[in-house]
Coordinates of all heavy atoms in Angstrom, one line a residue:
R863 N -16.0 -4.6 -6.0 CA -17.4 -4.2 -5.9 C -18.2 -5.5 -5.5 O -19.1 -5.4 -4.6 CB -17.9 -3.6 -7.2 CG -17.4 -2.2 -7.4 CD -17.8 -1.7 -8.7 NE -17.5 -0.2 -8.9 CZ -17.3 0.4 -10.1 NH1 -17.4 -0.3 -11.2 NH2 -17.0 1.6 -10.1
D864 N -18.0 -6.6 -6.1 CA -18.7 -7.8 -5.9 C -18.4 -8.3 -4.4 O -19.4 -8.8 -3.8 CB -18.4 -8.9 -6.9 CG -19.0 -8.6 -8.3 OD1 -19.8 -7.6 -8.4 OD2 -18.6 -9.3 -9.2
A865 N -17.2 -8.2 -4.0 CA -16.8 -8.8 -2.7 C -17.4 -7.9 -1.6 O -17.5 -8.4 -0.4 CB -15.3 -8.8 -2.6
T866 N -17.8 -6.7 -1.8 CA -18.4 -5.8 -0.8 C -19.8 -5.5 -1.0 O -20.4 -4.8 -0.2 CB -17.6 -4.5 -0.8 OG1 -17.6 -3.9 -2.1 CG2 -16.1 -4.7 -0.4
A867 N -20.5 -6.1 -2.0 CA -21.8 -5.8 -2.4 C -22.8 -6.2 -1.2 O -23.9 -5.6 -1.2 CB -22.2 -6.5 -3.7
H868 N -22.5 -7.1 -0.4 CA -23.4 -7.6 0.7 C -23.3 -6.7 1.9 O -24.2 -6.9 2.8 CB -23.0 -9.0 1.1 CG -21.7 -9.1 1.7 ND1 -20.5 -8.8 1.1 CD2 -21.3 -9.5 3.0 CE1 -19.4 -9.0 1.9 NE2 -19.9 -9.4 3.1
L869 N -22.5 -5.7 1.9 CA -22.3 -4.9 3.1 C -23.3 -3.8 3.2 O -23.7 -3.3 2.2 CB -20.8 -4.4 3.2 CG -19.7 -5.4 3.2 CD1 -18.4 -4.6 3.1 CD2 -19.7 -6.2 4.4
P870 N -23.5 -3.3 4.4 CA -24.3 -2.0 4.5 C -23.5 -0.9 3.8 O -22.3 -1.0 3.6 CB -24.3 -1.8 6.0 CG -24.0 -3.1 6.7 CD -23.2 -3.9 5.7
D871 N -24.3 0.0 3.3 CA -23.7 1.1 2.5 C -22.5 1.8 3.1 O -21.5 2.0 2.5 CB -24.7 2.1 2.1 CG -25.8 1.6 1.1 OD1 -25.6 0.5 0.6 OD2 -26.8 2.3 1.0
A872 N -22.6 2.1 4.4 CA -21.5 2.8 5.1 C -20.2 2.0 5.1 O -19.1 2.5 4.9 CB -21.9 3.2 6.5
Q873 N -20.3 0.7 5.4 CA -19.1 -0.2 5.4 C -18.5 -0.3 4.0 O -17.3 -0.2 3.8 CB -19.5 -1.5 6.0 CG -19.8 -1.6 7.4 CD -19.9 -3.0 8.0 OE1 -20.3 -3.9 7.2 NE2 -19.7 -3.2 9.3
R874 N -19.4 -0.5 3.0 CA -18.9 -0.6 1.7 C -18.2 0.7 1.2 O -17.1 0.6 0.6 CB -20.0 -1.0 0.7 CG -19.6 -1.4 -0.7 CD -20.7 -1.7 -1.6 NE -20.3 -2.4 -2.8 CZ -20.9 -2.3 -3.9 NH1 -22.0 -1.5 -4.1 NH2 -20.5 -3.0 -5.0
A875 N -18.8 1.8 1.5 CA -18.2 3.1 1.1 C -16.8 3.3 1.8 O -15.9 3.8 1.2 CB -19.1 4.2 1.5
A876 N -16.7 2.9 3.1 CA -15.4 3.0 3.8 C -14.3 2.2 3.1 O -13.2 2.7 2.9 CB -15.6 2.5 5.2
I877 N -14.6 1.0 2.7 CA -13.6 0.1 2.1 C -13.2 0.6 0.7 O -12.0 0.6 0.4 CB -14.1 -1.3 2.1 CG1 -14.2 -1.9 3.5 CG2 -13.2 -2.2 1.2 CD1 -14.9 -3.2 3.6
L878 N -14.2 1.0 0.0 CA -13.9 1.4 -1.4 C -13.5 2.8 -1.6 O -13.0 3.2 -2.7 CB -15.2 1.1 -2.3 CG -15.7 -0.3 -2.3 CD1 -16.9 -0.5 -3.2 CD2 -14.6 -1.3 -2.8
E879 N -13.6 3.6 -0.6 CA -13.3 5.0 -0.8 C -12.9 5.7 0.5 O -11.9 6.4 0.6 CB -14.4 5.8 -1.5 CG -14.1 7.3 -1.7 CD -15.2 8.0 -2.5 OE1 -16.2 7.3 -2.9 OE2 -15.0 9.2 -2.8
G880 N -13.7 5.6 1.5 CA -13.6 6.5 2.7 C -12.3 6.3 3.4 O -11.7 7.3 3.8
T881 N -11.8 5.1 3.6 CA -10.6 4.9 4.4 C -9.4 5.5 3.6 O -8.5 6.2 4.2 CB -10.3 3.4 4.7 OG1 -11.4 2.9 5.4 CG2 -9.0 3.2 5.5
T882 N -9.4 5.3 2.3 CA -8.3 5.9 1.5 C -8.3 7.4 1.5 O -7.3 8.1 1.6 CB -8.4 5.3 0.0 OG1 -8.2 3.9 0.0 CG2 -7.4 6.0 -0.9
A883 N -9.5 8.0 1.4 CA -9.7 9.4 1.5 C -9.1 10.0 2.8 O -8.4 11.0 2.8 CB -11.1 9.8 1.2

Side-chain angles (χ1 to χ4, degrees):
R863 287 175 172 155
D864 288 350
T866 56
H868 66 295
L869 298 176
D871 289 347
Q873 289 188 334
R874 192 183 194 208
I877 293 170
L878 298 182
E879 180 172 0
T881 304
T882 296

